[in-house]
């Protein structure tokens, strides 16, 4: 066999499974069709770490709760930003109060501790700046915010450093059952393996049982992303719940930004989202919005299908708004199954550490100056909105599974996400990428093969 385990799809689940399996003596590869891993983590991922209180389904609740409780250790180990901000669900009508009370009872029945029904006066003790009218609130200190893309990268970097292979730009076309394993056919290769973990939505020739999870999606969600936190509002995530189950959610992001997510039945426009956002944050206006994003609200069940017909074929199916939260629990279950079935031994040389990197926003001036004195590139600002230096961009390219595209640099460093949307720094990023990758600037792509950023050279400009 070419591999013990082939993980199909390099999203957060695929990367986390590769990390979990790299602790054992296994020959693992991740096959990802895109130029980069975790490309499908939406740029406006709301970053929320749920606690199992808000969802209808008991299994999803359990996975959220398990994932939530594992994230302190994982994020601390990988130096991934994570903050337990706590969350408040507020209701301003009797029907909505009833919904909160039912949610509270359900949380208790599910064994979720530290969830409290509160009167407004108790909430104002907790959040003195919260300037909204409501009758009752449900408070959970368990909830938080995490940097999801950074978490996926961390999983992948550690897996890579411990021997997992990542095959990027390779699309799985089919999977066939063979004696004692599987044959995975891609656009470039044919691989054999003992176990397949399929995290892609692809339905291949393998019989897949019970993976029909897509229900008709009837909810729209608009995200209004701001550069800063709303001043004098709340440190906690605040969700206003109405009688129809529609929600308006304020999320203070883990790194500086914040957003309001408006989730409502049916389709609705940006202008309506702004009006609804005002019902939660009274002085909110569209000038506070840096960018917007609109999507369908996904609350599929997540199904981990250990196919009974094909021993060794595990499919993860379903699109859920809390997948990042559930990932540590999902990947633990998958890894345990594989390790037990294959009788794996521990990889004694496994190093459970991510290579260091500098996050200047969290460092003191003295610490920053010390680094600049060693490497002056850390003193050259490339993105002046978000204060990202050349040193950080070079590091994002040279790291394990480093950035090869403009999008890869943006996501890894946060460059271009400021007020100017890259007008000042995008060409500098292209030049740094070209220099580091030994390519011409005109060969640098946005995020995929056919997405060149510069169409051609302008001969009047010396560098371009
Ligand atoms: C707007 C938005 C906000 C969200 N907010 C939150 C939140 O606040 N909290 C939370 O917990 N979760 C949140 N989520 C959920 C979470 O971000 C996603 O569900 C999660 O990233 C999905 O990860 P995945 O690994 O399951 O799938 P994906 O990231 O989709 O990974 C699958 C991978 O498979 C690859 N692939 C597909 N087909 C093939 C093929 N044929 N061959 C090879 N590779 C292939 C894809 O390129 C992709 O990289 C949010 C999602 C969205 C969209």
């Amino acid at each position: 066999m070419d591999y013990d385990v082939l993980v199909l799809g390099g999203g957060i689940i695929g990367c986390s499974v590769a990390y979990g399996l790299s602790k054992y003596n296994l020959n693992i590869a991740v096959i990802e069709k895109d130029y980069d891993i975790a490309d499908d983590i939406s740029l406006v991922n709301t970053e929320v770490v749920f606690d199992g209180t808000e969802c209808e389904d008991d299994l999803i609740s359990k996975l959220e709760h398990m994932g939530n409780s594992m994230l302190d250790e994982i994020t601390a180990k990988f130096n991934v930003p994570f903050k337990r901000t706590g969350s408040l669900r507020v209701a301003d009508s009797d029907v909505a109060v009833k919904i909160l009370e039912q949610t509270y009872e359900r949380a208790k029945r599910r064994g979720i501790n530290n969830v409290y029904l509160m009167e407004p006066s108790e909430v104002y003790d907790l959040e003195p700046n919260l300037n909204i009218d409501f009758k009752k609130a449900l408070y959970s200190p368990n909830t938080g915010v995490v940097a999801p893309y950074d978490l996926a990268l961390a999983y992948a970097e550690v897996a890579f450093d411990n021997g997992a292979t990542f095959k990027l730009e390779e699309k799985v076309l089919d999977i066939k059952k063979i004696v004692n394993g599987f044959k995975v056919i891609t656009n470039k290769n044919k691989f054999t393996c003992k176990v397949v973990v399929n995290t892609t939505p692809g339905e291949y020739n393998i019989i897949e049982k019970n993976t029909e999870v897509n229900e008709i999606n009837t909810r729209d969600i608009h995200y209004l992303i701001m550069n800063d936190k709303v001043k004098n509002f709340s440190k906690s995530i605040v969700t206003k719940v109405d009688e129809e189950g529609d929600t308006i959610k304020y999320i203070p992001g883990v790194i500086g930004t914040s957003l309001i997510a408006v989730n409502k039945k049916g389709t609705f426009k940006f202008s309506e989202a702004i009006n609804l956002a005002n019902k939660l944050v009274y002085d909110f206006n569209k000038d506070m919005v840096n960018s917007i994003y609109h999507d369908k609200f996904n609350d599929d069940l997540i199904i981990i299908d250990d196919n009974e017909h094909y021993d060794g074929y595990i499919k993860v199916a379903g699109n859920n708004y809390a997948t990042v939260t559930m990932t540590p629990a999902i990947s633990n279950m998958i890894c345990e199954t594989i390790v037990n079935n294959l009788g794996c031994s521990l990889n004694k040389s496994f190093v459970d550490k991510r290579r260091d990197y500098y996050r200047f926003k969290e460092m003191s001036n003295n610490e920053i100056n010390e680094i600049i004195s060693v490497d002056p590139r850390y003193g050259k600002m490339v993105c002046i909105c978000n204060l990202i230096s050349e040193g950080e961009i070079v590091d994002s390219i040279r790291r394990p599974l480093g950035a090869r595209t403009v999008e890869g640099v943006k996501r890894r460093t946060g460059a271009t996400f400021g007020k100017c949307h890259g007008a000042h720094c995008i060409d500098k990023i292209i030049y740094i990428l070209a220099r580091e990758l030994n390519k011409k600037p005109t060969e640098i792509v946005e995020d995929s093969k056919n997405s060149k950023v510069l169409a051609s050279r302008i001969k009047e400009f010396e560098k371009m």
Side-chain angles (χ1 to χ4, degrees), residues 4-5 21 24-26 335 338-346:
D4 293 312
V5 185
L21 293 177
Y24 297 87
N25 288 315
L26 287 169
C335 293
I338 295 172
V339 166
N340 288 338
N341 288 355
L342 295 183
C344 305
S345 58
L346 279 169

Side-chain angles (χ1 to χ4, degrees), residues 123-148:
V123 172
Y124 294 130
D125 286 344
L126 200 75
E127 287 289 354
N129 291 325
L130 194 66
N131 170 27
I132 48 172
D133 294 324
F134 59 93
K135 292 187 166 180
K136 221 161 215 169
L138 185 66
Y139 176 65
S140 165
N142 310 322
T143 322
V145 281
V146 70

